[in-house]
Amino acid sequence: MLKKLIFGKYDSNHKLKPAIKNQAKNVGRIWNNKTYKDFGIERILRLFLVSIQFIFPALYIRHISGLFGLLQRKIFVELYVLVKLCLPLIFFYYDLTDQFLVAIITSYMLVETVIYLTSLIFLSDIYAQPISYKRSVVLLFVNYVEVILEFAVLYSFFNLNYNIFPGQLVKDIDIIYFSFVSFSPIGFGEINSVVDYGKLLVIGQIFVFLIFGGLFLSVFTSNIGEMTYFNSHKAKKWTKRK
């Protein structure tokens, strides 16, 4: 019953390439302009995005779980995403947000997610077709909430240790609320950081929001001829027809 609940009737006969080996090949594909003719700033950014993923756990989780099959890889990736979503809540629940190590872990997870999301925009030509359009949308919303909570942990850390919002954000729910509103088109006018690095943190969150904006636009325009992560396979088929 549990197996049917989680896996449904999905059956995959895909032969998976080892994730680490395939990622190394992706570096070579971009370096040699095999899939897309990039240059200048775009080329440097693409090389950076495809190379830096070797320092994050997601690649190695995909590699190990992929030994058991495509479906197992997807499930383990989803579990990892859910762990990253829950971890900030655990930090808040146990009042750990004032710890330096917690801030480092949170920053590390946040950077990994931002790198992944940016890759969906700039590396769409080397990514395989997503198994399910709806699944991709669900994971995007999970990533969205995850990033908000991670920024909330960082706001709490700096506020508890450096008082960047004196007398304004007192309770945990206030900080989470501020992060949610800051990560939306609404924004705040009455809450402001009194130190420069607090303002830089808010600016950083706004930039990440713009990345999500680009991705959501990519989702809803995926039926247009412009190639995106969600319709790159269609663009390739169309090119073959021509």
Side-chain angles (χ1 to χ4, degrees):
M1 182 68 72
L2 182 61
K3 182 178 179 181
K4 187 174 182 179
L5 173 66
I6 297 174
F7 293 97
K9 292 184 177 181
Y10 183 85
D11 184 25
S12 172
N13 295 318
H14 290 79
K15 292 183 179 180
L16 292 178
K17 298 178 181 178
I20 296 175
K21 184 177 180 180
N22 192 56
Q23 189 69 14
K25 287 184 176 179
N26 284 336
V27 175
R29 291 183 184 108
I30 294 179
W31 180 260
N32 296 312
N33 285 128
K34 285 188 175 181
T35 58
Y36 178 75
K37 306 301 180 184
D38 54 7
F39 63 92
I41 296 176
E42 180 189 12
R43 177 170 173 77
I44 294 172
L45 176 60
R46 279 164 53 83
L47 285 169
F48 168 76
L49 291 173
V50 76
S51 301
I52 198 173
Q53 294 182 37
F54 285 99
I55 70 171
F56 295 114
L59 175 62
Y60 302 96
I61 291 173
R62 286 169 47 226
H63 181 84
I64 296 172
S65 59
L67 299 175
F68 303 97
L70 177 61
L71 183 57
Q72 286 74 14
R73 174 190 284 183
K74 297 297 183 181
I75 292 296
F76 271 93
V77 168
E78 289 181 4
L79 288 174
Y80 180 57
V81 170
L82 291 176
V83 167
K84 292 175 67 176
L85 174 67
C86 295
L87 206 52
L89 295 175
I90 294 172
F91 292 153
F92 275 111
Y93 183 80
Y94 288 102
D95 294 325
L96 299 174
T97 58
D98 61 334
Q99 302 297 315
F100 180 73
L101 180 60
V102 167
I104 293 296
I105 293 172
T106 301
S107 300
Y108 181 72
M109 294 189 304
L110 176 60
V111 170
E112 180 186 34
T113 302
V114 172
I115 290 292
Y116 165 71
L117 295 172
T118 310
S119 297
L120 294 184
I121 298 175
F122 290 98
L123 302 178
S124 60
D125 53 296
I126 64 172
Y127 278 178
Q129 170 189 353
I131 287 180
S132 165
Y133 167 84
K134 294 182 179 68
R135 173 182 177 273
S136 299
V137 173
V138 170
L139 288 180
L140 270 182
F141 276 106
V142 173
N143 288 140
Y144 186 84
V145 177
E146 172 212 331
V147 168
I148 290 173
L149 293 175
E150 287 167 348
F151 268 105
V153 170
L154 295 179
Y155 286 135
S156 180
F157 170 79
F158 283 105
N159 197 43
L160 290 171
N161 290 282
Y162 303 102
N163 200 25
I164 63 174
F165 297 105
Q168 300 178 82
L169 301 178
V170 180
K171 297 183 293 184
D172 289 345
I173 188 62
D174 295 334
I175 295 174
I176 294 173
Y177 175 67
F178 173 78
S179 187
F180 265 92
V181 177
S182 297
F183 211 56
S184 70
I186 302 172
F188 272 113
E190 70 277 13
I191 299 178
N192 298 287
S193 174
V194 297
V195 295
D196 291 342
Y197 44 83
K199 296 174 182 177
L200 290 173
L201 189 59
V202 175
I203 292 172
Q205 187 174 16
I206 293 171
F207 270 108
V208 177
F209 172 75
L210 294 177
I211 293 174
F212 271 101
L215 272 172
F216 285 127
L217 286 175
S218 176
V219 171
F220 294 117
T221 60
S222 58
N223 291 321
I224 300 177
E226 184 68 22
M227 185 170 64
T228 71
Y229 166 66
F230 299 96
N231 73 341
S232 57
H233 63 292
K234 296 178 183 178
K236 290 173 185 175
K237 290 178 181 178
W238 177 254
T239 303
K240 289 180 180 177
R241 291 195 194 104
K242 288 184 176 182

